[in-house]
Amino acid sequence: MRKKIVAGNWKMNKTYSEAVPLFYEIKDLLWKSKKAESAIKIIAPPSPYIHDFYETAKGLKNIFIGAQNCAYEEAGAYTGEISAAMLKSVGASFVIIGHSERRAYFKETHEELKKKTDLALKHQLNPIFCVGETAEKRQSGDYFSVVE
């Protein structure tokens, strides 16, 4: 049987003081929900919040903290990037790779996405590998060719 997954990607939204009460509200709703009881629940906040949210959710059944992205290199002079090892060290269990926005705005290539996936797996992060179409492709009915 396929496991159900509920994942929320916060993108680049909420300051820390705005995010904390929202996180508690979401955590409490997910924890109490009978419908989502057996589902894997993933919250992917902005990276600076991962460790605090991990500490808060630690020990709660099926609630995990994910990262929105990781670097395609292990380490080095990549200012602003966050490595898979760093994400794992602060409590991330999942990482989103290949989101349509990353592909469109940052021109991520298939080669870079493969490197990210390999590094995520090496560091025991579960990749959420995004394969999808733009809104324009979906509306035109050409989404199968993109996914293919």
Side-chain angles (χ1 to χ4, degrees), residues 106-117:
F106 297 96
K107 309 295 184 221
E108 290 185 336
T109 66
H110 295 310
E111 180 182 278
E112 290 168 338
L113 299 177
K114 181 181 182 327
K115 286 175 155 183
K116 288 181 179 200
T117 302

Side-chain angles (χ1 to χ4, degrees), residues 16 29 47 114:
Y16 186 76
L29 287 170
S47 294
K114 181 181 182 327

Side-chain angles (χ1 to χ4, degrees), residues 1-27:
M1 183 169 110
R2 292 171 63 172
K3 290 191 180 218
K4 293 180 182 172
I5 298 174
V6 176
N9 174 7
W10 289 20
K11 306 187 184 225
M12 194 175 71
N13 293 299
K14 304 290 182 195
T15 64
Y16 186 76
S17 62
E18 295 168 333
V20 169
L22 177 61
F23 173 74
Y24 276 97
E25 185 179 342
I26 291 169
K27 177 189 71 72

Side-chain angles (χ1 to χ4, degrees), residues 68-79:
Q68 298 177 14
N69 186 38
C70 70
Y72 61 82
E73 293 293 342
E74 187 79 49
Y78 300 95
T79 301

